[in-house]
Amino acid sequence: MKFSIPNKVSLKEIQKWDFFSVLLMALLFLRVFMDRSGLGAIIGLALLGGFFLLLVFKLKIPKYLLFYSSLFFLLVGYAFLNAVVLHGEPIFTFRGVIRYFSYFSIFIVAYYSKVSFKQIFNLYTVIVIIQSTLAIYQFLVLGMARPSGTFINSNHFSYFLVPYFSILLIIYKKYLPALFVFLLSSFLGGMGGVISLLLVVFLFLSHYAKRWQKIVAIFLFPIFIGAAGFLMQNRVKELTDVTTISDRLAENQAGGGSSLVWRIVTWKLMYDELLEKDGLYTGMGLEYASLISPYFLESSIREPHNDYVRILLEFGLFGLVLFLFAMFYGLNRVKKNADEEHSHFYYAIYAALAAIFLGMIVGNIVVLSTLWWLLLSIIAIIHKGDKQKESKVLK
């Protein structure tokens, strides 16, 4: 199957790049390939260092961006102080501050760069091709049952594909490459990733597909599901123990079952621990549910594999309510822009975000820097183009 880059980038376009552009593209590329090595934090620090230098000498952050992000900064700062001061946990929690602040920083750097949507999508394509090749090599040569490229695990790779799949399908209408990405996600074995991609397909069919495409989709859908089921047959077989959930919940027995059963029982155990420690409203502090944190949860040494549970554990009920409000508000604004401007770009972002928020029910996505750096850069570039159009109209 031919997997080509939708648009080529001319040399003249690249020659227009400034320091923002070079910094952005270099950091995005390096961040993905540092994931498994554990050196991603170094790239994050490099981003923050460059961002603060730009902030001192060149940047002027729009007031409306500072206003919308102020609650985010206050919440992260509170969760950090909650862990370190109130609960006496190690300063290690500052790692979370760096991670979340890098999301804002990469957005601003992308907003002020001269990188175009086409260029950043081409970078995305190159990364997907390289990672796909590595995953196939790991499966065929190294014998890895669930290859992941340079990502920490295959689930992270699957979720990384969601925005790319949405852009291919909705903006570029590249159906064969999109099918390849869908099958690749199935091959990686991440059920959350496949379900997220299916939501993107549904949103595409309900909003943009023509009648003949919907008819064809009805006939092809069973084939897609069958192919995904074949590639994920081992994961599907694991689900046969879902009938034991009630017994395991009664016995507080999380281990030994399938990943889904483990998740459900573990969520209950983590919630019980949160109640026991009187952290329901305030949370237990930043990085409390981190796998590599020096202070593990007593209920499990693993992360919750549910971002909503994670936010409840770390930020409390107040933080979870704020997150849900911001999530629905953001989705509504992007959908509104897509409808008012008849924009394929905004709708692709809307579909990707909706799919990611769905995947958060069973995944650790909110801390997946490799995904958010690229996605937020794309959103910033689209938003910048929208602002430029508005300024031309006002003139």
Side-chain angles (χ1 to χ4, degrees):
M1 180 183 297
K2 186 177 180 181
F3 194 75
S4 59
I5 297 176
N7 290 296
K8 294 181 179 179
V9 179
S10 67
L11 181 60
K12 289 183 179 180
E13 289 179 297
I14 296 177
Q15 288 174 341
K16 295 179 182 178
W17 284 3
D18 56 1
F19 177 74
F20 287 94
S21 306
V22 175
L23 176 68
L24 175 69
M25 299 295 271
L27 289 176
L28 289 177
F29 185 81
L30 289 173
R31 183 62 186 83
V32 176
F33 293 93
M34 292 293 183
D35 209 24
R36 181 181 286 273
S37 68
L39 300 177
I42 295 177
I43 305 300
L45 288 172
L47 166 66
L48 292 181
F51 173 77
F52 281 118
L53 286 175
L54 293 170
L55 190 63
V56 171
F57 296 106
K58 193 171 183 179
L59 279 179
K60 184 179 181 181
I61 302 176
K63 292 181 180 179
Y64 74 95
L65 286 178
L66 284 176
F67 173 76
Y68 282 121
S69 57
S70 59
L71 278 177
F72 168 76
F73 293 132
L74 289 173
L75 193 61
V76 171
Y78 159 75
F80 170 73
L81 293 175
N82 187 16
V84 175
V85 178
L86 298 182
H87 292 97
E89 305 295 357
I91 198 70
F92 174 88
T93 50
F94 195 70
R95 177 178 177 272
V97 176
I98 294 173
R99 180 204 304 119
Y100 290 124
F101 196 81
S102 74
Y103 296 172
F104 177 78
S105 302
I106 201 74
F107 180 92
I108 297 299
V109 171
Y111 184 87
Y112 281 100
S113 75
K114 295 181 180 180
V115 174
S116 66
F117 177 87
K118 179 174 63 176
Q119 291 167 340
I120 202 166
F121 181 73
N122 286 342
L123 174 67
Y124 210 158
T125 300
V126 170
I127 291 172
V128 170
I129 292 175
I130 294 174
Q131 294 293 338
S132 303
T133 304
L134 285 173
I136 294 172
Y137 172 80
Q138 290 169 342
F139 178 77
L140 295 177
V141 179
L142 302 182
M144 294 177 61
R146 295 187 60 184
S148 58
T150 62
F151 288 87
I152 294 175
N153 57 56
S154 60
N155 287 327
H156 287 192
F157 191 1
S158 293
Y159 291 122
F160 182 79
L161 294 172
V162 172
Y164 186 75
F165 178 79
S166 182
I167 294 169
L168 274 179
L169 197 61
I170 296 173
I171 296 177
Y172 289 110
K173 294 181 173 60
K174 297 288 184 178
Y175 303 124
L176 285 179
L179 173 61
F180 170 81
V181 172
F182 179 83
L183 294 177
L184 173 62
S185 183
S186 303
F187 165 71
L188 294 172
M191 282 194 172
V194 171
I195 293 173
S196 298
L197 294 185
L198 287 174
L199 178 58
V200 174
V201 172
F202 172 78
L203 292 173
F204 166 74
L205 291 174
S206 64
H207 198 81
Y208 279 112
K210 299 177 181 178
R211 178 177 294 181
W212 69 267
Q213 290 176 317
K214 294 179 181 179
I215 295 173
V216 171
I218 292 173
F219 289 100
L220 291 181
F221 191 74
I223 299 176
F224 290 160
I225 296 299
F230 174 77
L231 291 170
M232 302 177 66
Q233 51 188 304
N234 292 331
R235 300 301 308 280
V236 173
K237 290 178 181 178
E238 291 180 358
L239 299 179
T240 56
D241 67 343
V242 292
T243 55
T244 66
I245 289 178
S246 58
D247 294 334
R248 289 179 179 274
L249 285 172
E251 299 172 3
N252 290 335
Q253 181 185 355
S258 67
S259 60
L260 178 61
V261 172
W262 174 87
R263 280 171 165 82
I264 294 173
V265 179
T266 302
W267 299 338
K268 190 258 185 183
L269 295 176
M270 290 179 171
Y271 178 75
D272 289 345
E273 179 180 333
L274 188 65
L275 291 179
E276 183 182 342
K277 295 183 177 180
D278 297 323
L280 179 61
Y281 298 104
T282 61
M284 299 302 295
L286 202 59
E287 295 294 279
Y288 186 73
S290 174
L291 176 64
I292 57 176
S293 170
Y295 46 99
F296 299 120
L297 289 164
E298 295 176 8
S299 52
S300 175
I301 63 171
R302 298 176 180 271
E303 297 186 349
H305 290 71
N306 182 319
D307 282 329
Y308 303 103
V309 172
R310 182 192 193 106
I311 292 169
L312 179 64
L313 290 169
E314 297 187 356
F315 296 91
L317 193 59
F318 177 70
L320 177 61
V321 170
L322 280 180
F323 176 78
L324 292 175
F325 172 79
M327 182 183 75
F328 286 109
Y329 176 78
L331 276 177
N332 182 63
R333 284 294 301 269
V334 175
K335 180 65 165 55
K336 185 178 179 181
N337 287 344
D339 292 338
E340 290 180 350
E341 301 178 19
H342 304 288
S343 171
H344 289 66
F345 290 88
Y346 275 114
Y347 196 80
I349 296 301
Y350 165 74
L353 286 174
I356 288 171
F357 291 144
L358 175 65
M360 283 182 176
I361 297 175
V362 292
N364 300 315
I365 306 178
V366 74
V367 295
L368 182 51
S369 300
T370 48
L371 165 66
W372 289 109
W373 279 28
L374 262 165
L375 180 55
L376 288 171
S377 296
I378 291 171
I379 294 174
I381 289 169
I382 294 174
H383 179 63
K384 176 181 66 176
D386 196 36
K387 286 295 181 182
Q388 289 174 343
K389 289 179 184 177
E390 288 181 7
S391 62
K392 289 181 181 179
V393 172
L394 292 175
K395 290 179 180 178

